[in-house]
Amino acid sequence: MILFASAGLLASCSLPSDTSRLARENSLVAAARSKLVGLTDSDIRMCAGFPTATAHGSDGDEIWTYKRDFPRGNINLAAPISLFGSIPVVSGSANVSSGGYCNAQFRLKDAKVTEVEFAGDNNTASEINGLCVSMIDGCVVYADRRGEREHQPK
């Protein structure tokens, strides 16, 4: 009986396909849309590595795509038992991670980023584009440091 109740509870935790009414976009991902504009192609390779795929547009622009997969179905359970005096204490935690994939896409014109966008099955239970954070956090930090260096007196 408990097993069936647990399965029903987990099934009720599935996300609807449109989470825009329930969650907001991750703040770092939202910041990346403006902070990364103006970086050069060399800057992007420095902070993100080499793209997974590239495409050339008809107006001379280029789109670089970075893809990262996040496997589904990871359930981590931890139930350590410790002794406190002569009384055993059982504690535990459960983590059901979101799975999916994120494509971070950079549009470049004249070797400079003009637009950043995200695509894929990349929403988490609490954030839109939440799976994309680990792909672009290094570039946001890189852009911030680059901006600080440019504004320092020489």
Side-chain angles (χ1 to χ4, degrees):
M1 183 69 134
I2 293 174
L3 182 63
F4 289 116
S6 297
L9 182 63
L10 282 174
S12 69
C13 292
S14 65
L15 289 176
S17 59
D18 178 17
T19 60
S20 60
R21 294 181 311 269
L22 306 172
R24 296 288 169 236
E25 185 169 51
N26 177 278
S27 60
L28 188 69
V29 171
R33 293 180 196 279
S34 60
K35 287 187 175 194
L36 303 184
V37 170
L39 292 181
T40 66
D41 56 355
S42 295
D43 291 332
I44 296 299
R45 281 192 296 269
M46 285 295 293
C47 67
F50 291 91
T52 308
T54 60
H56 295 279
S58 60
D59 60 351
D61 64 342
E62 193 172 10
I63 297 175
W64 289 6
T65 301
Y66 292 82
K67 183 174 183 175
R68 182 159 182 206
D69 293 313
F70 298 88
R72 288 198 184 278
N74 293 336
I75 298 177
N76 301 318
L77 298 173
I81 299 175
S82 61
L83 292 176
F84 183 70
S86 61
I87 304 170
V89 177
V90 177
S91 63
S93 65
N95 177 21
V96 180
S97 63
S98 299
Y101 68 95
C102 177
N103 288 342
Q105 299 164 160
F106 299 86
R107 183 184 307 273
L108 293 103
K109 180 81 170 175
D110 299 325
K112 289 197 176 212
V113 175
T114 60
E115 185 180 5
V116 179
E117 193 52 69
F118 303 92
D121 181 11
N122 52 18
N123 296 342
T124 65
S126 60
E127 295 179 316
I128 296 172
N129 295 327
L131 293 181
C132 299
V133 172
S134 64
M135 295 180 67
I136 53 92
D137 58 350
C139 284
V140 170
V141 169
Y142 182 88
D144 286 342
R145 281 195 311 240
R146 186 173 173 263
E148 289 170 7
R149 285 192 308 263
E150 289 177 357
H151 296 340
Q152 287 179 350
K154 296 188 183 233

